[in-house]
Amino acid sequence: MIGLTGKTVEELMTEWNLSPPFRARQLFKDIYSGTDSVDDMSDLPKSLRNELKEKGTLLTSEILKERISCDGTVKIVLRFPDDAVIETVALTTDKGRRTACLSTQVGCAMGCRFCHTALGGLKRNLTAAEIVEEFIRIRQKNGPISHIVFMGMGEPLCNLDEVCKAVGILCDKDCCNLGKRKITVSTCGVVPGIIRMAEEKMPMKLAVSLNAPDNEKRSQLMPVNRKYPLEELKRALLLYQDSVGRRITFEYVLIDRFNDSEKDLENLCRFLHGFHLPLVNLIPWNPTPALEFKSPSGNRVRRFMDAAAAKGINMTLRRSRGRDIEGACGQLAGKAAAR
Ligand code: SAH
């Protein structure tokens, strides 16, 4: 395949021995324009187009399924040539932004007990090219996208090199021209990745899936907490905050009678102490078959939010979009037979 090789302009220039240099930019622009056909690249010389054709197709994935939710959320199921299947979603946020929720891995190794993606384990990492292709495919179905969240299948900080490379391409003015500040990486708490983001001053926004504010409960829910307990996570996050100077968002999946008590809020308050304007994004647990948790009632969610406000916690409710098409948080399973 030629197209979304995840190559930057400079790499393309060297690999293809292109001159003059503007040819490399043209090629880059054409490759990432989202076209499936080399014949559309009329600004390239015929010889180069022929060379491209010999190398194969531009986009390698096939859209297996496409579903549109009653709330306008679009979900696509993509299959790559090695039969790897992933899901990608586009949704409108409360702020009216059209956001793509991209996967970074085929499956996930982190084993969070409340998450459907975890059930199948990890198959492999996605390459930068495949991540960019996801974006292009969802844009083909959805139309313009202004923001990206790496909150689909997988743990982005376990595939950080490819994620960074994809971000570089997505933000290139000749590719998707997104602002780096419009991209959010969400992690379950992989401490070495957070430290690397801090040390390299990566410009993407950081969100952390906290979900339970004490080690005992968090380790029950998220095996990653046994390796990187809350104290260590907090140290890394404060380092990130200090070196990058950006506020951190905390995701909190609310599970009925598991992490929705007054005591949980007290622990949450304690954990958040020291962060600059922390924002907690509350996500009522989305049901998924085979998992035994319970979604909290609207009343319990409200009570939890009121009690949080009384403690001075800045909390917003993430309204679950795309639940009817299994496109909401934690429902992406990457099944070829996905409905
Ligand atoms: N591995 C990264 C990226 C996945 S993001 C991370 O953990 O942050 C997926 C988000 O959805 C996480 O915040 C996760 O806590 C949340 N989530 C997972 N399963 C869910 C479910 N069933 N209901 C609601 N949120 C869920």
Side-chain angles (χ1 to χ4, degrees), residues 90-125:
L91 54 117
T92 303
T93 64
D94 290 336
K95 292 181 180 154
R97 298 165 173 166
R98 199 63 185 170
T99 297
C101 178
L102 303 186
S103 296
T104 53
Q105 296 183 308
V106 184
C108 186
M110 305 318 287
C112 298
R113 304 262 181 270
F114 50 84
C115 179
H116 199 171
T117 309
L119 291 175
L122 175 70
K123 307 232 164 44
R124 67 171 174 86
N125 283 335

Side-chain angles (χ1 to χ4, degrees), residues 167-186:
V167 166
I169 294 169
L170 289 166
C171 295
D172 192 293
K173 67 176 180 6
D174 289 329
C175 179
C176 305
N177 199 20
L178 284 162
K180 288 202 167 91
R181 292 174 177 257
K182 294 185 173 166
I183 299 184
T184 302
V185 169
S186 179

Side-chain angles (χ1 to χ4, degrees), residues 114-115 151-152 154-156 186-188 209 211 251 253 283-286 288 329-330:
F114 50 84
C115 179
M151 293 185 188
E155 169 50 49
S186 179
T187 180
C188 63
S209 302
N211 301 336
E251 291 146 302
V253 176
I283 319 171
W285 184 69
N286 290 312
T288 129
C329 291

Side-chain angles (χ1 to χ4, degrees), residues 9-56:
V9 179
E10 294 70 27
E11 284 167 336
L12 276 175
M13 256 175 79
T14 331
E15 187 173 306
W16 288 66
N17 198 13
L18 284 169
S19 67
F22 75 83
R23 277 271 175 263
R25 247 285 131 232
Q26 266 177 343
L27 177 60
F28 181 84
K29 224 169 165 168
D30 284 341
I31 283 177
Y32 292 107
S33 67
T35 179
D36 271 328
S37 164
V38 172
D39 291 321
D40 291 343
M41 303 177 169
S42 51
D43 54 345
L44 297 180
K46 198 135 196 250
S47 54
L48 184 53
R49 270 188 277 160
N50 287 340
E51 215 180 314
L52 278 169
K53 277 186 191 163
E54 275 166 27
K55 289 191 182 242

Side-chain angles (χ1 to χ4, degrees), residues 83-95:
D83 271 345
V85 175
I86 54 157
E87 302 187 8
T88 307
V89 173
L91 54 117
T92 303
T93 64
D94 290 336
K95 292 181 180 154

